Amino acid sequence: SSDLSSGINAEYGGVNPEILINRFFGIFFMLFQTWGIWGNIVSVTVLKPEEEFNMTQDEINLMCGANYIVPKADDDKSDSDSTSGPSKAQIYTLAGIYLCFAVIGPLLIAFFLDPLSNYGEDERREQEGKSGIQLLMATFSHFINNKYQMLITPLTIWSGIEQGWFGASFTVAYIKCPIGIQYIGYFIIVYASADAFCSVTFGYLLKKIGRVPVFTMAAVLNLVVIFILLEWTPTTHSYLYLFAVMWGMADAVWQTQINAFYGVIFVGNEEPAFANYRLWESIGFLAAYLLSNNLQLKVFMYLMLAWLLASYIGYTVIEVLERKRTGSCSVYACTGGVVAPKEQEEK
């Protein structure tokens, strides 16, 4: 990410960098998000629990949805809200297939991907001469000394939280618990399909309506899904598929546009900026999995609401500061069209 942004800003100085950065991240995340399609086509083909799922509506209302709590290991009823689960043979078959792909992937990269040294990466790193410790110090220095980084960090953490919540909480509390474990793969396929499609199309939407409306749309989608699921545990597949699509659409914005936003507002500081991005997004993932395993889901979702609102406020402050600094809507912030960026000042 940092190499891409710095390369675009250096080589295409006369072109608005956000056009190219958005286009790249849109295509990249469209391909990346297809993991959920191919991986779960395999899983739903292999994992076919023989025991039929059976829970009453009262049990679903009491134990699933926002009332869901992860069963403890010492509970007398271990994971009673699910089916008996896949057999060991199914698990070993699935693990073997995934292991094959895990081996094939690095081999394809090693034999067919051009090394970065062909594009002067070794020379660039020699000129910079930063060790791992120096890069770590630069990462934290960038966070402490750059107000934009501090303001965008909550939204960066949110991008990890919302991905972790879907994988760790939604699939368990709203699919496995009320409907059955055998349906999780289908919902992730729908989620990933919406995510991949919107990753590439939202870049064109941003050119028409601007960055702020796109970010706002993603926040509204997340808020709507959380508010509805806090009060309702749907057992109709069509509604749950709709929520999976809405969450995938929002995730497409967070993944593509936050990356592109970093590339635009941290010109000249891409390496420590994107190091911060990965650090804080990973912390968001960690927080999502820790909280989902130790809190009732309803409590976790209320915390998510508060964090999302705080994150959006931080992002909005950056847009306001950028507009004051440039004297106009900076780089797609307010309307579509190309606005030539001014030389970035020290944030």
Side-chain angles (χ1 to χ4, degrees):
S1 298
S2 61
D3 293 335
L4 167 77
S5 299
S6 58
I8 286 176
N9 282 293
E11 190 165 344
Y12 299 95
V15 179
N16 188 329
E18 191 166 0
I19 298 174
L20 302 177
I21 293 173
N22 267 301
R23 187 175 301 166
F24 171 84
F25 282 119
I27 295 172
F28 171 79
F29 280 104
M30 178 193 69
L31 298 173
F32 173 77
Q33 294 297 346
T34 60
W35 69 265
I37 301 173
W38 316 125
N40 284 282
I41 287 176
V42 174
S43 70
V44 299
T45 303
V46 174
L47 301 180
K48 296 179 179 179
E50 297 178 359
E51 182 178 333
E52 289 297 325
F53 182 78
N54 186 22
M55 284 184 71
T56 66
Q57 186 62 48
D58 289 339
E59 289 175 327
I60 291 174
N61 292 336
L62 180 64
M63 301 170 60
C64 303
N67 293 320
Y68 183 81
I69 301 176
V70 175
K72 303 301 180 183
D74 56 352
D75 285 351
D76 293 332
K77 293 175 68 178
S78 178
D79 206 18
S80 61
D81 59 337
S82 67
T83 65
S84 60
S87 66
K88 286 187 177 180
Q90 291 172 319
I91 294 174
Y92 292 148
T93 301
L94 185 63
I97 294 172
Y98 286 161
L99 181 60
C100 289
F101 281 111
V103 173
I104 292 171
L107 290 176
L108 290 174
I109 293 174
F111 285 105
F112 296 105
L113 186 66
D114 291 339
L116 289 175
S117 58
N118 290 357
Y119 302 95
E121 180 66 9
D122 291 342
E123 291 80 359
R124 186 184 71 83
R125 293 196 179 278
E126 286 178 4
Q127 291 174 0
E128 293 179 353
K130 286 185 179 179
S131 66
I133 298 297
Q134 289 174 322
L135 180 58
L136 180 64
M137 296 300 295
T139 299
F140 285 106
S141 175
H142 177 78
F143 173 76
I144 294 171
N145 298 316
N146 193 306
K147 62 184 178 183
Y148 280 13
Q149 181 62 65
M150 297 182 73
L151 289 168
I152 198 61
T153 292
L155 191 61
T156 308
I157 294 174
W158 170 255
S159 72
I161 291 175
E162 56 90 11
Q163 292 177 78
W165 176 84
F166 186 87
S169 299
F170 177 83
T171 55
V172 176
Y174 291 95
I175 302 173
K176 177 186 175 184
C177 181
I179 298 176
I181 192 173
Q182 63 268 35
Y183 290 100
I184 291 179
Y186 295 107
F187 280 91
I188 297 181
I189 290 173
V190 170
Y191 162 82
S193 299
D195 205 332
F197 176 77
C198 292
S199 291
V200 72
T201 57
F202 280 172
Y204 297 99
L205 179 64
L206 183 141
K207 290 169 63 176
K208 299 297 183 182
I209 66 175
R211 186 172 57 226
V212 173
V214 171
F215 272 71
T216 303
M217 177 190 66
V220 170
L221 285 170
N222 285 153
L223 289 172
V224 169
V225 172
I226 293 174
F227 274 123
I228 293 176
L229 294 182
L230 274 171
E231 301 299 330
W232 182 40
T233 304
T235 56
T236 303
H237 293 197
S238 57
Y239 290 112
L240 285 169
Y241 281 123
L242 175 61
F243 296 142
V245 169
M246 293 170 67
W247 205 263
M249 292 172 63
D251 183 67
V253 174
W254 302 135
Q255 299 310 306
T256 60
Q257 299 309 317
I258 293 178
N259 272 284
F261 197 42
Y262 267 71
V264 171
I265 64 175
F266 297 123
V267 176
N269 292 307
E270 290 88 354
E271 193 164 24
F274 279 101
N276 270 277
Y277 175 88
R278 293 304 172 194
L279 170 65
W280 296 114
E281 184 186 41
S282 299
I283 288 175
F285 270 108
L286 178 63
Y289 281 94
L290 286 176
L291 292 174
S292 66
N293 281 295
N294 292 281
L295 293 177
Q296 184 184 36
L297 185 56
K298 181 180 293 186
V299 177
F300 179 27
M301 291 169 73
Y302 279 121
L303 292 175
M304 287 173 62
L305 284 174
W307 192 268
L308 175 56
L309 292 173
S311 302
Y312 185 80
I313 291 172
Y315 158 72
T316 304
V317 171
I318 294 178
E319 293 286 11
V320 171
L321 292 175
E322 271 293 278
R323 185 163 190 182
K324 288 182 178 179
R325 183 181 71 85
T326 61
S328 63
C329 293
S330 88
V331 199
Y332 285 173
C334 304
T335 61
V338 177
V339 180
K342 295 184 180 180
E343 191 71 25
Q344 187 181 29
E345 299 171 358
E346 183 69 19
K347 304 292 189 291

